[in-house]
Amino acid sequence: MSAPAILWFRNDLRLADQAALHAALAGGRAVVPVFILDAAAAGAWAPGAASRWWLHHSLAALHTALRQSGGGLVLRRGDSPAILAELTETTGATDIYTGGSAEPWARRLDRTVADAMRRRGVALHRMRTMTLFGPEQVQTRTGGPFQVYTPFAKACLALGGPRAPLPAPAALPRVTLPRSDRLADWDLRPRKPDWAGGLRATWTPGEAGARRRLRDFLAESLAAYADCRDRPDLEATSRLSPHLHFGEVSAARVWHAVQAAAPGKGGEAFIRELLWREFSLHLLWHHPTMPEAPLRPGFAAMPWRDDRAQLRAWQNGETGIPIVDAGMQQLWQTGWMHNRVRMIVASLLVKHLLIPWQAGEAWFWDTLVDADLANNAASWQWVAGCGADAAPYFRVFNPVLQSRTFDPDGTYIRRFVPALAELDAAHIHAPWQAPAAALVQAGVVLGTSYPRPIVDLASGRARALDAYAMVREAGLTDFLLRPSGGR
Ligand code: FAD
């Protein structure tokens, strides 16, 4: 019998539409599935606490699914090239199949592994498992990367959609697996205090959970998606983001399911969002420094403030601005936040508080279950005005107006800020402007039961505009970094 192939799982923890698995199985070969936790390779971008919780459960689900198909999952922790070398030695494998990665550290690792394996006569095959299209498929007319979303999305749509999803294998050929670590020994879940109760109540990590989430979204929310997606008080979006990040469902599969279910307005709006994800990955591919440095280099000269107390108030949901505090509480309790509210809380941090976007990015990295290097960095830079196709810096979100527009009855605020639960819809968005009688009636004592705002919104806005004017007058806002690192 021929030697088995190694399947090196990355951010593609699924069996259906798994191009690397499909290719590894070709010709009836047995497959040794492996996941390696290589925190040193990821460096500063090793998974944060919420992602580690998700990863634990996703790996457990993948293990179960593989066993049900007749296989299993080998777990190893440490240096990827050394572990893969040992596994090829013990199994006799001459081929390793893996998904393509966009993270700069993962691409560096791919190159190191490919070189090390080549020297041993082992081939590393990288398959597309994460994105809808390959980086070589989506280019400007002159063959370069896009810097603006709309032409990027048009170029994607002109490709006529991603390929049809591949089926999951009915069964896996039997193979003797090398030794595996015990998942529980990796300590991915919190010990004490156990802060993950809200995550457990909200999510079902794994491929089966992703399938159910997609099915429910198609049945219940897709038709109204275009009209309701900006409302945090409604369950109007798919909440597929962590499932997509960990690759428990492929973006191609979601694309085709949505097209089949609602080709109209709801489906079109949803595909636009999937293409924002694709755009972020495209940006990260061509600008590997995006998670750390502004795409418009002049923004490095912004007069950012180092205000630990205000940063902590923002992180804890104690800013005194209800929509912001509700969002930060939703994040803390569930590991997720509605997109509109992400924009509002991010805008308050980088504009009204003038705290660097990287501080917000780092907090999201640790607390989001969908923390994703491409989406997180691209979105923070977009809000800060220093990214590709960014929100103009002079457009400073007014969190009170945003709150009134998108959470009109205050339902979302009441859910996550119980101290304001009794305040009426007219005053809940800006309690510091409420008449004393309304506060007394709702049992709110500003500064005691609920904080006063940590920043005056009008002067915070003016300070942000001054800072921006300074960077703009120096002629520093216009230039994107030259693309680098794409290959
Ligand atoms: P839906 O509205 O159902 O959209 C479907 C899918 O499209 C999402 O699952 C996601 O994969 C993609 N998508 C939707 N909106 C965006 C967007 N604006 N940019 C890129 N892709 C999008 N998303 C992450 O997945 N990980 C992050 O770490 C992340 N950080 C963010 C930080 C900030 C400051 C902001 C403003 C946005 C961030 N987003 C991030 C984008 C967006 O908020 C989430 O993808 C979305 O809220 C996920 O919810 P959903 O699955 O219900 O989205």
Side-chain angles (χ1 to χ4, degrees):
M1 196 171 149
S2 59
I6 290 179
L7 170 60
W8 178 19
F9 276 109
R10 315 291 279 281
N11 276 347
D12 42 24
L13 304 177
R14 63 177 182 269
L15 301 187
D17 199 24
Q18 221 306 0
L21 172 61
H22 205 75
L25 283 170
R29 255 181 324 192
V31 170
V32 175
V34 181
F35 182 87
I36 302 172
L37 189 65
D38 190 345
W45 300 113
S51 298
R52 287 162 63 84
W53 174 86
W54 190 288
L55 180 63
H56 174 96
H57 292 285
S58 193
L59 288 172
L62 181 66
H63 192 199
T64 305
L66 281 163
R67 285 178 70 144
Q68 284 165 352
S69 304
L73 180 62
V74 177
L75 298 173
R76 289 294 181 84
R77 181 162 47 168
D79 179 59
S80 306
I83 290 168
L84 289 167
E86 182 218 310
L87 292 174
T88 53
E89 198 75 41
T90 46
T91 60
T94 52
D95 294 279
I96 300 173
Y97 291 84
T98 194
S101 308
E103 293 92 346
W105 66 265
R107 290 171 65 197
R108 270 195 305 277
L109 184 59
D110 283 352
R111 288 194 285 273
T112 311
V113 167
D115 291 344
M117 292 302 127
R118 199 175 307 115
R119 287 197 292 276
R120 308 175 72 90
V122 175
L124 177 71
H125 308 272
R126 293 197 311 169
M127 316 299 294
R128 179 154 44 80
T129 56
M130 221 173 135
T131 53
L132 294 164
F133 309 103
E136 68 295 338
Q137 283 178 281
V138 192
Q139 296 180 342
T140 60
R141 283 213 188 92
T142 54
F146 286 93
Q147 295 179 349
V148 179
Y149 168 78
T150 305
F152 170 83
K154 271 195 190 141
C156 290
L157 293 169
L159 293 170
R163 56 159 175 67
L166 302 161
L172 295 172
R174 297 229 161 253
V175 63
T176 308
L177 292 178
R179 103 174 157 76
S180 170
D181 292 352
R182 272 167 29 102
L183 183 56
D185 293 342
W186 282 5
D187 270 341
L188 295 172
R189 288 171 298 177
R191 284 189 175 190
K192 283 190 184 142
D194 174 10
W195 43 259
L199 275 57
R200 285 193 291 275
T202 312
W203 303 101
T204 310
E207 191 170 6
R211 227 177 4 247
R212 275 199 299 279
R213 182 70 74 172
L214 176 59
R215 187 197 58 203
D216 292 350
F217 172 66
L218 296 177
E220 291 159 19
S221 311
L222 180 57
Y225 179 80
D227 296 326
C228 300
R229 58 176 289 270
D230 271 324
R231 293 276 302 268
D233 55 335
L234 309 174
E235 291 242 342
T237 67
S238 71
R239 301 190 182 211
L240 281 168
S241 49
H243 299 290
L244 281 165
H245 169 74
F246 285 91
E248 297 165 353
V249 62
S250 73
R253 173 135 187 233
V254 174
W255 173 295
H256 286 288
V258 164
Q259 294 285 21
K265 202 168 115 190
E268 280 165 20
F270 187 85
I271 296 291
R272 276 199 293 279
E273 296 311 312
L274 271 190
L275 289 175
W276 271 107
R277 172 181 182 272
E278 194 79 4
F279 185 50
S280 301
L281 288 160
H282 177 85
L283 290 172
L284 184 60
W285 182 270
H286 293 288
H287 303 282
T289 58
M290 182 173 75
E292 291 93 20
L295 288 178
R296 294 165 200 265
F299 269 79
M302 276 289 281
W304 297 116
R305 296 170 59 246
D306 175 18
D307 190 326
R308 306 281 159 91
Q310 288 198 339
L311 176 61
R312 230 181 351 265
W314 178 84
Q315 290 170 337
N316 292 343
E318 292 169 354
T319 66
I321 298 159
I323 190 74
V324 173
D325 295 342
M328 300 310 287
Q329 280 302 325
Q330 181 179 33
L331 175 60
W332 187 248
Q333 289 171 30
T334 70
W336 184 88
M337 194 196 300
H338 187 276
N339 179 60
R340 170 61 47 180
V341 189
R342 291 188 204 205
M343 292 196 284
I344 298 169
V345 304
S347 174
L348 186 96
L349 186 78
V350 298
K351 295 190 174 169
H352 288 99
L353 300 179
L354 262 191
I355 290 178
W357 57 270
Q358 291 95 333
E361 181 194 30
W363 182 250
F364 272 27
W365 184 256
D366 201 37
T367 51
L368 277 172
V369 287
D370 66 20
D372 180 273
L373 201 59
N375 268 356
N376 199 32
S379 302
W380 273 99
Q381 291 220 26
W382 185 88
V383 175
C386 57
D389 204 3
Y393 199 90
F394 51 82
R395 197 185 298 149
V396 178
F397 268 18
N398 178 327
V400 175
L401 288 183
Q402 291 282 321
S403 188
R404 289 204 172 107
T405 308
F406 297 109
D407 182 26
D409 305 323
T411 310
Y412 176 77
I413 294 174
R414 278 189 201 92
R415 191 179 313 148
F416 290 106
V417 187
L420 301 179
E422 300 300 323
L423 207 51
D424 55 80
H427 301 111
I428 196 164
H429 306 283
W432 63 92
Q433 291 170 346
L439 292 175
V440 169
Q441 200 184 359
V444 177
V445 184
L446 287 181
T448 304
S449 69
Y450 184 71
R452 295 180 192 282
I454 59 170
V455 61
D456 173 68
L457 292 177
S459 42
R461 178 174 189 277
R463 182 175 59 186
L465 291 177
D466 286 350
Y468 174 66
M470 203 192 87
V471 175
R472 194 184 45 193
E473 276 156 24
L476 293 171
T477 56
D478 297 337
F479 302 101
L480 281 174
L481 285 176
R482 281 168 175 278
S484 63
R487 65 162 207 178

